[in-house]
Amino acid sequence: MKLARIRTATGAVRVGIVESDGIHLLDGIDDLLPLLNDPNLSLAEAARAKGVTGEIVKSAEAQYLSPIATPPTLRDFYAFEQHVRAGRAWRGLDMDPEWYRIPVFYFSNPYATTGTGDIPIPPGSEQFDFELEVGAIVGGHGSDLTPADAENLIAGFCILNDWSARDLQKREMQLSMGPVKGKDTATSLGPWVVTPDELAECKEGTGYRLAMRCEVNGKKYTEAVWSDVYWSFAEMIAYASRGTEVRPGDIIGSGTCGTGCINELSRTHSPEEYPFLREGDVVTASIEGLGVLVNRIVAGVPPIPLREGTV
């Protein structure tokens, strides 16, 4: 099943089942989170239990929102080796053996999740970037999980675009903290959530044999395959649950796929060929089986100085 949270032409926010003829609206629900809170039902079963109203919204008339308005948490991992290896190579470093021992992550901002539509440039940034990732939605509670147990908690998958202010990120991380404001403005999720059974025939190794692609203004930037991921989502969720808990609606990001951001491409090739994003750029992220997520970059607001002589 594919489920989307949309804004209709009237401005109403609704959840529906995505079919070939449009989005079939569910009765009395405007967020996916309530569908994830019943421990006895899968996401698809919970949607069917709600029932459809008979209203169908054409895809062209819908704005796709973040499937969950405010996820309980958003953990973003670092699981594609090609991306990690390229980043370390620019700094003259070999791969750290610890990367193969633990699937590291950072916490991002659950208030800043969005879907399709405009993405503002973060205040003070001149090096704005996309990061093409896969997102997994946790569909149950768990602590100190095994990967096998964690696999059963995956309610669905979606495209995740982790927008990044590289200049802000670099300054923060030089102080041994972060990423913080460098990742704080937006994380795009969507356009819909796909339940794992829809992708089962493509499962391969630690991921799925599905193509990942990102374009800027129609020019191909990213081309990768999900199954190239080193850490599986089951392993990532199990690690996230270690010594604590995961809850329904938690978002788990895979981290950037190989060639999945301008920072990697501009250093591998050239900044002239792959410049950072500017106002008016249109970023189109797609993952086979998960749909297409389109965002337009718009001007942000200037930073308000904290005190004289600061940014």
Side-chain angles (χ1 to χ4, degrees):
M1 182 179 286
K2 297 181 179 70
L3 287 159
R5 179 171 170 265
I6 63 170
R7 180 174 287 113
T8 69
T10 66
V13 176
R14 302 289 297 277
V15 169
I17 300 171
V18 181
E19 302 283 4
S20 59
D21 59 344
I23 302 111
H24 294 241
L25 299 183
L26 296 180
D27 190 22
I29 186 168
D30 62 3
D31 198 302
L32 261 69
L33 190 55
L35 298 178
L36 298 167
N37 280 325
D38 190 326
N40 299 311
L41 297 177
S42 69
L43 178 57
E45 290 168 340
R48 293 190 190 100
K50 279 289 180 184
V52 294
T53 63
E55 303 167 89
I56 302 175
V57 177
K58 298 295 184 183
S59 181
E61 299 171 358
Q63 179 190 359
Y64 290 94
L65 307 175
S66 170
I68 299 172
T70 307
T73 65
L74 174 52
R75 294 175 174 92
D76 205 358
F77 282 77
Y78 197 35
F80 280 91
E81 183 177 1
Q82 179 181 338
H83 177 68
V84 178
R85 186 176 292 278
R88 293 185 66 82
W90 307 322
R91 302 192 296 275
L93 301 172
D94 294 328
M95 285 293 287
D96 190 326
E98 281 299 297
W99 185 84
Y100 299 99
R101 293 171 54 83
I102 53 172
V104 293
F105 69 91
Y106 68 92
F107 283 99
S108 195
N109 185 356
Y111 304 148
T113 53
T114 185
T116 58
D118 293 349
I119 302 295
I121 296 172
S125 177
E126 295 182 356
Q127 296 181 354
F128 196 39
D129 200 354
F130 68 84
E131 292 193 58
L132 178 59
E133 309 184 17
V134 185
I137 293 87
V138 176
H141 293 82
S143 298
D144 294 305
L145 297 165
T146 66
D149 291 335
E151 182 89 37
N152 293 328
L153 291 188
I154 299 173
F157 300 105
C158 64
I159 299 170
L160 188 154
N161 198 332
D162 172 33
W163 303 97
S164 302
R166 298 301 188 185
D167 39 2
L168 305 186
Q169 179 185 358
K170 181 178 179 181
R171 293 179 67 185
E172 291 168 338
M173 296 186 76
Q174 284 175 337
L175 299 173
S176 301
M177 289 290 286
V180 190
K181 281 296 171 188
K183 302 277 191 171
D184 212 27
T185 295
T187 300
S188 293
L189 302 167
W192 43 69
V193 174
V194 180
T195 54
D197 57 292
E198 292 253 339
L199 308 177
E201 65 179 19
C202 298
K203 192 166 180 59
E204 180 178 83
T206 49
Y208 291 80
R209 192 179 62 259
L210 296 169
M212 305 175 68
R213 184 181 177 94
C214 200
E215 298 178 354
V216 178
N217 302 328
K219 175 186 174 181
K220 184 189 76 175
Y221 273 47
T222 300
E223 198 164 52
V225 180
W226 179 353
S227 54
D228 285 344
V229 70
Y230 183 83
W231 293 102
S232 70
F233 274 110
E235 291 167 323
M236 290 184 253
I237 294 170
Y239 187 70
S241 78
R242 188 178 292 180
T244 182
E245 62 181 310
V246 293
R247 297 184 179 183
D250 286 351
I251 306 295
I252 305 293
S254 66
T256 312
C257 63
T259 74
C261 67
I262 296 171
N263 199 44
E264 177 181 337
L265 291 163
S266 65
R267 296 189 184 200
T268 303
H269 301 282
S270 72
E272 292 73 28
E273 189 175 356
Y274 295 99
F276 285 108
L277 298 171
R278 293 289 181 262
E279 181 182 354
D281 286 345
V282 175
V283 179
T284 303
S286 62
I287 299 177
E288 190 179 0
L290 301 186
V292 179
L293 191 61
V294 181
N295 295 101
R296 182 170 66 95
I297 308 303
V298 298
V301 299
I304 300 172
L306 306 178
R307 61 174 69 176
E308 187 176 353
T310 69
V311 295

